Amino acid sequence: MPELPEVQTIINELSPIIIGKNLVKIEEFRENTLINQQKISYLGQINTIFRRGKYIIITTDQKLQIIIHLRMTGKLIYTENLTSSSSHMRAHLIFSDHSKLIFDDVRTFGQITIAPLNQQIKSLDILGAEPFSNDFSTEYLWQKFRKRKAPIKNILLNQTIIAGLGNIYVNEILFACQIHPAVPTNSLNKKQIGAIISNTIKILKKAIKYNGTTISDYKRVDNKSGKFQNFLKIYQKTECPKCGNPVSRIKQAGRSTFFCYSCQNNPHKPLKSKNNG
Ligand SMILES: [Zn+2]
């Protein structure tokens, strides 16, 4: 599933290509791919493309917003060939110069919402702090964490607390922090919360630098793969890169969690300093 770094990569690669283009129409090839579709004759010139959590938001000079959520397997493929298709094309966005953006989605959970720019979008309004914003602070997470007993792994996946994290990066962040994924969230101290913040930023930045993680479906807009899978330390690994012990695998809220029982075992163990780690 595309997470923050994958969505950011798509945006970084699309913006120089589509900003300024005239969006003529959006057509769906599978029912319920387009949401809130109104009778709009002209969608307008593309002004901006940006990210909120895992959502891609495109705005036009006709005061419209096009919100794309890729969900499990959604992909955006840019092509200058108007007649080209893809194996699971659910919709396409057609530009006046006959180039287009294909929305391909095997599992069909992805959606495109078209709405006036001033319309409140509930799924965006409920999102929590952006990891690269000032809102993502120790104080913010401390307030959010102190009343929650659920395992930290599940809370980090909660989009209303932190926007953009998914299963792969949460596994990596907890390993980097040496925090057991099943530890009750409200048992974490401020030092551990600080470690979650710094490691989240560090890991996400590096993943964006390497254009995201391609393990199964995620592809960039030119259909190339990301490269951060080569830097994963714990996700889908069998041996801990730190201590050499076998990596443990459990299910939490239906998702696979990978962790090192030895390095992340004791929830109350103080973080190792850089010198002896
Ligand atoms: Zn280990």
Side-chain angles (χ1 to χ4, degrees):
M1 179 194 275
E3 304 180 29
L4 188 155
E6 290 75 46
V7 174
Q8 190 62 53
T9 299
I10 291 167
I11 287 167
N12 292 348
E13 296 185 332
L14 273 184
S15 32
I17 303 173
I18 68 164
I19 287 176
K21 286 200 187 213
N22 287 303
L23 185 55
V24 179
K25 62 178 168 182
I26 304 179
E27 289 176 318
E28 69 174 358
F29 302 102
R30 188 180 192 279
E31 227 178 309
N32 298 326
T33 303
L34 297 185
I35 306 296
N36 289 356
Q37 198 186 8
Q38 300 159 12
K39 296 285 167 219
I40 301 162
S41 53
Y42 172 60
L43 293 152
Q45 188 175 33
I46 293 180
N47 276 341
T48 56
I49 172 168
F50 59 96
R51 184 189 57 74
R52 178 76 175 99
K54 301 177 196 171
Y55 292 84
I56 296 164
I57 302 159
I58 297 170
T59 66
T60 78
D61 67 355
Q62 298 300 299
K63 296 193 166 50
L64 292 172
Q65 52 182 336
I66 297 140
I67 301 147
I68 304 172
H69 198 185
L70 302 169
R71 298 272 175 206
M72 301 282 289
T73 55
K75 266 186 270 197
L76 290 173
I77 305 160
Y78 174 78
T79 170
E80 289 180 352
N81 180 359
L82 191 58
T83 56
S84 74
S85 181
S86 71
S87 32
H88 306 282
M89 182 162 83
R90 307 302 180 198
H92 62 191
L93 290 72
I94 294 184
F95 302 106
S96 61
D97 63 358
H98 295 174
S99 61
K100 71 173 182 177
L101 201 53
I102 294 172
F103 180 68
D104 180 282
D105 190 10
V106 181
R107 301 282 299 274
T108 74
F109 293 114
Q111 280 177 331
I112 301 175
T113 305
I114 306 165
L117 203 49
N118 58 9
Q119 186 180 310
Q120 296 289 108
I121 306 292
K122 197 180 167 227
S123 48
L124 297 180
D125 289 345
I126 60 168
L127 292 174
E130 281 292 332
F132 297 133
S133 75
N134 292 334
D135 299 340
F136 188 53
S137 65
T138 305
E139 193 50 40
Y140 169 81
L141 284 188
W142 173 254
Q143 292 300 335
K144 295 284 181 189
F145 283 5
R146 57 198 279 251
K147 289 178 196 141
R148 288 177 159 91
K149 286 186 207 153
I152 182 63
K153 162 91 189 298
N154 300 356
I155 295 298
L156 292 180
L157 287 172
N158 182 334
Q159 300 299 300
T160 69
I161 297 174
I162 306 170
L165 298 182
N167 201 39
I168 296 174
Y169 295 103
V170 166
N171 273 285
E172 294 295 311
I173 290 162
L174 289 174
F175 177 70
C177 298
Q178 299 172 35
I179 294 172
H180 190 290
V183 72
T185 301
N186 60 1
S187 72
L188 296 179
N189 60 38
K190 285 196 173 172
K191 191 177 175 189
Q192 290 172 309
I193 293 174
I196 288 176
I197 289 174
S198 57
N199 282 303
T200 297
I201 293 169
K202 195 168 105 188
I203 290 168
L204 294 179
K205 277 191 176 164
K206 189 171 176 186
I208 292 169
K209 183 179 164 196
Y210 288 98
N211 299 310
T213 301
T214 298
I215 285 177
S216 52
D217 296 287
Y218 162 70
K219 286 286 170 71
R220 295 159 62 187
V221 292
D222 53 5
N223 218 26
K224 285 186 190 141
S225 296
K227 290 214 164 66
F228 191 69
Q229 62 276 14
N230 303 320
F231 299 92
L232 294 173
K233 292 198 161 77
I234 198 82
Y235 183 77
Q236 290 189 351
K237 299 294 174 193
T238 52
E239 189 181 282
C240 173
K242 237 185 171 108
C243 70
N245 282 329
V247 167
S248 304
R249 181 177 180 163
I250 53 171
K251 281 260 182 202
Q252 289 181 288
R255 317 290 306 275
S256 289
T257 302
F258 298 84
F259 69 102
C260 174
Y261 190 79
S262 161
C263 296
Q264 296 169 256
N265 182 32
N266 185 345
H268 300 292
K269 182 172 65 176
L271 290 172
K272 282 180 192 168
S273 79
K274 273 180 186 157
N275 299 330
N276 61 15

